[in-house]
């Protein structure tokens, strides 16, 4: 939260700036919830690209950091609710790592709001729509990732 | 990235060495695989086919398929691109088959619906084309694209392009994998012995499968045994249920475990190790007595113990309207006919032990819980439901006014074997009511936050039945049904509704606002708005029956965590697919039957139980199941033997072993479920997760963010 203010979204030559947001979803809860949102035709912004893993426990902290190093404007990790993990406790272990990533982001001056972990179950299609809408809104407010500027 | 690629080559080689259990045929294929698989070579040689599905207008209506196809041709490693109206159709699959052969593809990407829906279809198509079925990756451009960005053609098209690029990146690195076949234990478990559980257990037993039927109560029968009659046929509930209860008690293939609970579940489909807690009943069955050397002893249900017991408690089976002792059976038709001691009220005076006598010696006041381990191939959950505590709706005065009763209390009062021998009376004065109001949707279809948002599905019908029953038993009675809608959707249900109308019941359409009691007469005033006549109603009646909603069992959370089953937002257990897999769950080998999945009437409950029994018997009869080969593998040259992964594994599948003079991790494949929690942490990157390997996931991330060029 204490990160320095970043450059606002540039009003590009080709119209509105589109953020690049990576979503890493667990197969059993959040991916199924996202599918349910589709079945329910719940409309949300198209800015998140999804990579599916079996469990949020699979997600290495380095995956998230790699995404930021590659220039992602935001990363969303989404899994089962606590106590609801298909693999009993993978989401606890994943969440622990993700907290670490957040702390690390703060300490290197990258706004930690660019990274979010959410818990969306297989029956929460509407919630999925709300989560994506909010993530995209947050990232749009924060503007492009400063890492892109560095690597230029 | 270059470093990562090199390491991947190493990984595949080490994989080759560590393969040990694969059958000869598979091993040959496995050995052949790495040459084509090793990442650096794959990058040069990968030939990916991309197949874009229109899904009619489901996908094509929201995005520019031609633009997506033109873009796909420019993605590195893509050797062939095609599109088809319905990729999942037979001609669509033929397109994939032919393309694999004609273009010597090494991987297949289908951009269509969710992999949760059609992954098996396209894996089969990939296999039929001559490739290993795991060299397939799906790009979800329907559920997570065209359906959720219906009015954003540009955004949707761009997202589809990215999704395909991400999928192609992974497909280029996929390996040949082989499902692992494991034998299935020739036994099943059914949890809950209501009508659903009993039906499922009987079906399984009749199919020749040893079945453990677990019931938490001292007797089987469940809710249905508490009911008086069933709609619309007016069969006596006990009369049609007790033969089933007796069958269950007698069936040689059913091992009935009443007054028992599941304590722990380990393992996976085909091999569940279940620990069952047999709660201390305090009374020995004849078999248990014999095991203790008391020949001819044990409880024979004579009931000599009951009259001498000095403790009197309300009988839960009669909804507290009839007394029972601390040693009791809840009703005469219990199966098994064995008494049970209620430890919360027993004072251990020992009078029952004396009454039981020295021959039977059935009573053991020092009995302890017993843990029994059983091994089963599949399990069915049939745990049933609880009644909604309708006193939460304070405006109706349940538990405040004596003459406001719940539907379950009505069932017991009108039942010939109930506390009043079938005479419906007012609790306040024992008089026969002449005006009876039935309040429907008592807690159902309630969005106030105090009730349940869903329809409980059978209250309309049983309230109609209740109205019929009072007309049958009380001359000159008048029934009033306060309803929102009458949902009489089943076979012969609508006809039953007309019959009750003809019998003279009055239907008033309006949600009951409140109920007030006349303190002198204890009569009740039901207030509502008649929404058909558009006028307020104040009806004075003698008795009010609240058609209470049903809700998930209190211990649903415990049950679902034991078996790894999810629940839906309203708390009922969640099926694998609401339409096409209503009995299955996301845990392979665990099935659902009856109301634990959502409100059902008796015909639907029995049908779902038979469905679940059939589904649960399939793997058992087949004898083996194939597990998805998403196992973890240790890349031994990178493993430092730190052992961090071992504590992370929720299934105790990992262990440190001594190899070449140092400690390395080893995976027991049969225990590994492929979550990847170990692989997400390993500080040395020494764990290779099949199908979700680090290089594969990193390639996906890079493909998205760096546009595929690295």
């Amino acid at each position: 939260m204490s990160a320095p203010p970043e450059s606002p979204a540039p009003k590009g030559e080709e119209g509105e700036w589109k953020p690049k947001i990576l979503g890493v979803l667990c197969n059993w809860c959040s991916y199924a919830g996202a599918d349910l949102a589709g079945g329910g035709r719940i409309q949300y912004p198209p800015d998140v690209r999804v990579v599916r893993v079996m469990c949020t426990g699979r997600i290495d902290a380095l995956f998230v950091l790699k995404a930021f190093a590659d220039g992602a404007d935001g990363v969303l990790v989404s899994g089962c609710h606590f106590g609801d993990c298909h693999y009993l406790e993978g989401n606890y272990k994943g969440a622990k790592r993700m907290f670490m990533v957040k702390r690390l982001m703060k300490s290197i001056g990258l706004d930690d709001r660019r990274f979010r972990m959410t818990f969306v179950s297989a029956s929460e299609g509407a919630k999925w729509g709300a989560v994506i809408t909010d993530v995209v809104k947050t990232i749009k407010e924060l503007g492009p990732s400063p890492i892109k500027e560095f690597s230029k | 990235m270059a470093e990562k690629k090199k390491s991947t080559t190493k990984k595949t080689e080490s994989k080759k060495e560590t393969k040990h259990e694969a059958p000869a045929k598979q091993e040959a294929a496995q050995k052949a695989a790495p040459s084509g698989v090793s990442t650096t070579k794959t990058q040069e040689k990968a030939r990916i086919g991309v197949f874009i599905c229109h899904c009619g207008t489901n996908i094509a209506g929201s995005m520019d398929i031609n633009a997506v196809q033109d873009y796909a041709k420019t993605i590195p490693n893509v050797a062939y691109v095609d599109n088809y109206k319905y990729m999942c159709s037979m001609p669509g699959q033929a397109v994939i088959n032919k393309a694999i052969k004609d273009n010597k593809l090494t991987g297949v990407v289908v951009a269509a619906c969710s992999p949760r829906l059609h992954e098996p279809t396209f894996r089969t198509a990939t296999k039929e084309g001559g490739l290993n079925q795991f060299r397939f990756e799906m790009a979800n451009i329907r559920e997570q694209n065209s359906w959720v960005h219906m009015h954003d053609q540009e955004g949707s098209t761009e997202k589809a392009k990215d999704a395909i690029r991400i999928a192609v990146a992974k497909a280029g690195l996929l390996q040949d994998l082989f499902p692992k076949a494991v034998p299935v234990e020739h036994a099943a478990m059914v949890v809950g012995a209501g009508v659903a559980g009993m039906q499922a257990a009987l079906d399984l037993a009749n199919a020749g499968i040893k079945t453990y039927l677990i019931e938490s109560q001292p007797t089987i029968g469940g809710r249905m045994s508490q009911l008086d009659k069933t709609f619309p046929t007016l069969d006596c509930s006990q009369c049609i249920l007790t033969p089933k209860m007796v069958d269950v008690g007698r069936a040689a293939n059913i091992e009935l475990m009443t007054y028992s609970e599941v304590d722990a579940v380990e393992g996976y489909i085909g091999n569940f190790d279940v620990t069952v807690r047999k709660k201390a009943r305090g009374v020995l069955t004849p078999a248990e007595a014999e095991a203790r050397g008391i020949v001819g002893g044990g409880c024979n249900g004579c009931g000599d113990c009951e009259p001498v017991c000095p403790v009197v408690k309300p009988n839960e089976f009669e909804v507290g309207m009839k007394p029972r002792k601390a040693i009791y059976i809840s009703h005469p038709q219990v199966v098994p006919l064995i008494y049970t001691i209620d430890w919360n009220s027993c004072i251990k005076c020992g009078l029952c032990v004396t009454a039981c006598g020295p021959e039977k010696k059935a009573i053991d006041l020092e009995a302890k819980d017993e843990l029994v381990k059983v091994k089963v191939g599949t399990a069915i959950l049939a745990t049933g439901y609880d009644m909604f505590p309708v006193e939460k709706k304070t405006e109706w005065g349940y538990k405040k006014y004596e003459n406001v009763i719940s539907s379950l209390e009505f069932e017991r009062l009108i039942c010939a074997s109930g506390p009043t021998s079938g005479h419906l009376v007012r609790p306040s004065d024992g008089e026969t009511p002449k005006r009876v109001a039935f309040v429907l949707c008592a807690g159902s279809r309630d969005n106030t936050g105090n009730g349940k948002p869903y329809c409980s599905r059978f209250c309309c019908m049983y309230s109609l039945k209740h109205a019929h029953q009072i007309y049958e038993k009380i001359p000159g009675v008048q029934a009033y049904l306060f309803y929102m809608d009458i949902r009489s959707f089943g076979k012969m249900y609508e006809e039953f509704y007309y019959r009750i109308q003809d019998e003279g019941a009055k239907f008033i359409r309006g949600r009951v606002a409140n109920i007030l009691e006349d303190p002198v007469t204890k009569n009740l005033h039901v207030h509502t708005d008649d929404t058909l006549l558009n006028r307020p109603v104040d009806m004075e009646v003698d008795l009010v029956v609240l058609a209470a909603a049903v809700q998930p069992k209190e211990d649903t959370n415990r049950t679902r965590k034991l078996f790894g089953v999810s629940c839906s937002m309203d708390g009922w257990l969640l099926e694998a697919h609401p339409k096409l897999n209503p009995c299955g769950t996301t845990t392979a080998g665990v099935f659902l039957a009856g109301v634990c999945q959502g409100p059902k009437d008796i015909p639907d409950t029995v049908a779902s139980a038979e469905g679940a029994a059939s589904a649960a018997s399939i793997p058992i009869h087949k004898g083996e199941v194939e597990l998805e080969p998403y196992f973890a593998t240790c890349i031994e040259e990178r493993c430092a033997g730190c052992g961090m992964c071992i504590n992370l594994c929720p299934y105790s599948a990992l262990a440190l072993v001594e190899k070449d003079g140092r400690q390395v991790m080893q995976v027991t494949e049969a225990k590994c479920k492929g979550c990847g929690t170990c692989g997400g942490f390993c500080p040395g990157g020494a764990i290779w997760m099949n199908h979700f390997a680090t290089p594969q996931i990193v390639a996906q991330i890079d493909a998205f963010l760096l546009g595929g060029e690295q």
Side-chain angles (χ1 to χ4, degrees):
Chain A
M1 302 291 169
S2 57
E6 291 157 4
S7 54
K11 288 281 170 261
E13 307 79 29
E14 296 156 31
E16 205 192 347
W17 166 72
K18 293 248 185 332
K20 278 179 168 262
I21 304 170
L22 174 74
V24 191
L25 274 58
C26 87
N27 179 59
W28 302 99
C29 292
S30 289
Y31 200 89
D35 280 355
L36 191 72
R41 307 298 195 278
I42 290 160
Q43 304 294 304
Y44 55 78
D47 302 289
V48 179
R49 306 291 183 261
V50 167
V51 168
R52 180 173 67 119
V53 291
M54 294 313 273
C55 178
T56 44
R58 173 69 189 95
I59 303 170
D60 197 317
L62 294 173
F63 295 169
V64 181
L65 297 175
K66 181 77 172 83
F68 280 117
D70 284 355
D73 299 306
V75 175
L76 166 70
V77 164
S78 192
C80 307
H81 289 277
F82 286 137
D84 206 4
C85 178
H86 185 75
Y87 302 104
L88 310 175
E89 49 199 36
N91 56 353
Y92 285 101
K93 284 157 187 168
K96 235 176 161 176
R97 273 169 230 156
M98 298 309 129
F99 278 125
M100 187 188 77
V101 171
K102 274 205 162 247
R103 280 212 306 276
L104 184 72
M105 286 174 70
K106 277 184 199 167
S107 62
I108 61 170
L110 193 59
D111 196 317
D112 73 336
R113 283 173 293 172
R114 292 187 182 278
F115 172 60
R116 191 182 298 190
M117 181 166 188
T118 58
F119 306 95
V120 177
S121 82
S123 60
E124 294 177 329
K127 183 178 173 185
W128 178 250
V131 162
I132 294 284
T133 308
D134 192 56
V135 165
V136 172
K137 183 171 159 269
T138 308
I139 304 296
K140 279 191 172 165
E141 279 167 11
L142 289 170
S145 163
I147 291 179
K148 265 184 212 163
E149 296 300 314
F150 289 136
S151 50
K152 261 178 198 170
Chain B
M1 267 324 285
E3 214 179 82
K4 277 220 154 99
K5 277 174 210 161
K6 257 186 241 157
S7 68
T8 321
T9 324
K10 269 191 209 162
K11 283 172 193 172
T12 14
E13 280 163 12
S14 78
K15 242 185 97 50
K16 202 165 85 182
E17 288 160 18
T18 50
K19 273 283 153 216
H20 30 76
E21 291 167 352
K25 192 172 70 183
Q26 289 188 0
E27 194 143 73
Q30 198 95 28
K31 277 187 178 158
S35 62
V37 167
S38 62
T39 329
T40 30
K41 284 184 189 168
T42 323
Q43 290 295 67
E44 294 152 20
K45 283 171 68 183
R47 295 175 58 79
I48 309 298
V50 177
F51 303 88
I52 303 159
C53 179
H54 299 215
C55 196
T57 56
N58 275 311
I59 293 170
S62 303
M63 67 180 71
D64 183 348
I65 296 274
N66 288 330
V68 174
Q69 169 149 359
D70 289 343
Y71 174 77
K73 285 177 184 158
T74 68
I75 302 173
N77 291 336
V78 170
Y80 181 82
V81 184
D82 206 346
N83 69 78
Y84 193 72
K85 208 166 170 70
Y86 292 102
M87 217 68 226
C88 59
S89 65
M90 292 312 281
Q93 293 186 52
V95 169
I96 299 175
N97 280 339
K98 190 169 178 302
I100 293 173
K101 286 171 190 144
D102 291 355
N103 299 282
K104 297 196 170 58
L105 298 180
T106 61
V108 173
V109 168
V110 174
C113 50
S114 169
R116 293 174 56 85
L117 207 62
H118 264 311
E119 193 173 62
T121 314
F122 294 120
R123 275 193 177 161
T124 312
T126 306
K127 197 176 179 182
E128 283 169 0
L131 274 179
N132 180 280
Q133 74 261 39
F134 290 93
R135 286 181 172 256
F136 163 75
E137 178 67 14
M138 203 146 178
N140 185 338
I141 60 167
R142 194 180 75 174
E143 276 84 347
Q144 298 186 21
N145 190 337
S146 69
W147 277 354
V148 287
H149 317 305
M150 294 173 87
H151 314 296
D152 184 355
Q153 171 133 12
E154 192 200 329
S156 169
T157 307
E158 288 309 309
K159 189 173 176 179
K161 289 177 182 173
D162 285 353
I164 291 173
R165 193 171 69 236
I166 292 168
V168 168
K170 181 164 179 185
L173 298 177
L174 288 176
Q175 295 175 301
D176 287 356
L177 294 175
F178 299 92
K180 191 181 173 71
V182 293
V184 177
E185 186 72 23
H186 200 83
M189 168 168 286
V190 179
V191 185
V195 64
M198 292 196 297
Q199 184 65 48
L202 282 171
D203 284 2
L204 287 165
N206 287 337
I209 295 163
K210 165 90 178 173
T211 306
Y212 298 92
L213 180 56
I214 317 293
E215 169 59 50
S216 64
Q217 296 300 309
T219 174
I220 61 173
R223 289 277 174 218
M224 189 178 164
S225 61
Q226 283 179 287
L227 309 180
D228 179 38
K229 287 199 171 135
T230 58
F231 57 81
T233 51
L234 300 172
D235 288 313
C236 150
S237 183
Q238 284 271 18
C239 312
I240 55 177
L241 189 70
T242 41
K244 269 198 201 303
M245 291 167 66
V246 172
D247 284 352
V248 167
R250 242 190 231 138
N253 265 337
I254 296 180
E255 186 163 334
L256 185 55
M257 298 165 104
T258 51
Y259 212 46
S260 301
E261 279 169 4
V262 175
D263 231 32
V265 183
E266 277 172 29
Y268 49 93
I269 179 171
N271 300 277
F272 289 109
D273 291 302
V274 186
T275 311
V276 180
R277 176 181 296 273
K278 284 183 116 172
K279 293 185 279 189
R281 197 186 261 271
V283 180
L284 302 178
T285 63
E288 284 164 350
E290 202 160 312
R292 290 195 185 186
I294 313 162
V295 180
C299 182
N300 61 5
C302 66
D304 288 346
C305 50
E306 198 173 344
V308 299
C309 178
V311 183
V312 180
K313 287 277 159 186
N315 187 349
E316 298 83 357
F317 181 83
E318 304 286 0
V319 206
M321 295 185 293
K322 204 175 177 178
R324 65 159 169 83
K325 296 296 182 65
I327 185 163
Y328 69 104
I329 51 170
S330 50
H331 61 100
Q333 284 115 321
V334 295
V335 172
L337 181 52
I338 305 286
Y339 276 74
T340 304
I341 295 176
D342 168 11
W343 298 110
N344 289 330
S345 45
C346 175
I347 53 169
K348 298 203 175 177
C349 63
L351 287 172
C352 53
V353 179
T354 321
C356 189
E359 282 90 50
K360 284 182 287 191
K361 272 194 186 162
I363 298 170
D364 175 9
L365 291 176
E366 302 305 319
K368 292 266 168 334
D369 290 5
E370 210 181 308
L371 294 178
V372 183
K373 286 200 177 220
V374 296
K375 200 173 171 76
V376 296
T378 53
I380 295 175
L381 303 181
T383 48
Y385 62 95
D386 280 339
M387 298 305 293
F388 171 71
V390 76
E391 61 269 25
K392 270 193 181 172
K393 303 290 292 180
T394 47
E395 63 267 36
W396 296 330
Y398 179 65
K399 290 204 173 161
K400 188 162 88 185
Y401 307 140
E402 286 173 84
N403 292 334
V404 177
I405 63 171
S406 77
S407 45
L408 200 59
E409 286 167 335
F410 180 92
E411 289 286 349
R412 292 316 301 158
L413 287 172
I414 203 86
C415 181
S417 66
T420 56
S421 305
H423 296 291
L424 182 66
V425 293
R426 273 157 50 103
S428 67
D429 51 16
E431 291 294 316
T432 305
K434 289 289 181 190
R435 297 163 297 177
V436 183
F438 296 91
V439 177
L440 276 65
C441 292
S444 309
R445 302 178 68 196
D446 183 329
N447 288 319
T448 59
N450 234 347
K452 300 288 170 188
Y454 50 80
C455 165
S456 294
R457 283 185 94 234
F458 46 81
C459 343
C460 281
M461 288 308 295
Y462 73 57
S463 294
L464 292 173
K465 179 201 71 177
H466 289 171
H468 167 82
Q469 283 176 297
I470 62 166
Y471 278 109
E472 198 176 68
K473 290 207 168 174
I474 307 170
V477 75
Q478 179 62 54
Y480 301 97
L481 283 90
F482 294 87
Y483 70 102
M484 289 164 70
D485 302 284
I486 294 287
R487 297 188 163 175
S488 52
F489 49 81
K491 196 175 184 182
M492 298 302 285
Y493 287 11
E494 189 70 8
E495 292 84 340
F496 189 71
Y497 176 26
Y498 295 146
R499 176 177 169 188
I500 308 309
Q501 286 177 337
D502 291 343
E503 284 177 351
K506 294 257 189 304
F507 291 78
I508 299 151
R509 186 171 182 274
R511 173 148 233 163
V512 173
N514 71 348
I515 296 170
L516 295 174
E517 186 187 56
D518 181 330
V520 181
T521 59
K522 302 276 179 190
N523 287 349
L524 301 153
H525 288 265
V526 181
H527 298 271
T528 186
D529 236 16
D530 188 325
T531 56
L532 295 180
L533 299 176
N534 197 19
R535 67 178 183 205
V537 176
D538 172 2
M539 183 82 65
E540 188 180 350
V541 295
D542 305 323
L543 184 72
V544 171
V545 182
L546 301 175
V550 295
Q551 65 178 22
K553 265 244 177 286
E554 209 185 337
D555 60 355
T556 298
N557 253 329
R558 187 178 164 271
T559 313
R560 70 188 191 83
K561 278 178 192 166
L562 280 171
F563 287 91
V565 176
S566 300
C567 65
S568 48
M569 286 175 82
D570 44 20
W572 301 103
L573 295 180
L574 188 67
E575 59 285 329
H577 190 281
K579 289 169 188 68
L580 302 177
N581 197 351
C583 295
T585 67
T586 47
T587 302
V590 178
F591 303 89
L592 305 177
V595 184
C596 65
Q597 183 213 357
K600 288 181 192 65
D601 56 13
I602 295 167
D604 286 0
T605 295
V606 174
S608 92
E610 300 207 286
S614 154
S617 69
I618 292 169
I620 294 175
H621 283 310
K622 220 173 147 195
E624 64 171 33
V625 283
E626 285 191 341
L627 302 182
E628 290 215 271
Y630 299 163
F631 313 118
T633 315
C634 179
I635 305 157
E636 283 170 12
E637 59 267 39
R638 295 185 133 213
C639 177
C642 68
M644 299 289 270
C645 50
I646 289 160
N647 292 330
L648 283 173
C649 180
Y651 304 105
S652 321
L654 314 180
L656 280 180
V657 293
E658 182 92 14
K659 224 171 209 180
D660 303 330
R662 66 193 187 96
Q663 298 267 306
V664 289
M665 184 272 272
Q666 197 176 56
V667 184
T668 309
E669 281 188 357
K671 283 188 180 172
C672 176
K673 295 199 184 183
C675 62
T677 305
C678 54
F681 187 79
C682 180
I687 295 174
W688 177 273
M689 290 307 305
N690 280 344
H691 214 67
F692 291 92
T694 302
Q696 294 166 352
I697 296 173
V698 170
Q700 287 179 293
I701 296 171
D702 286 346
F704 163 39
L705 293 159
L706 304 176
E709 298 127 35
Q710 295 151 47

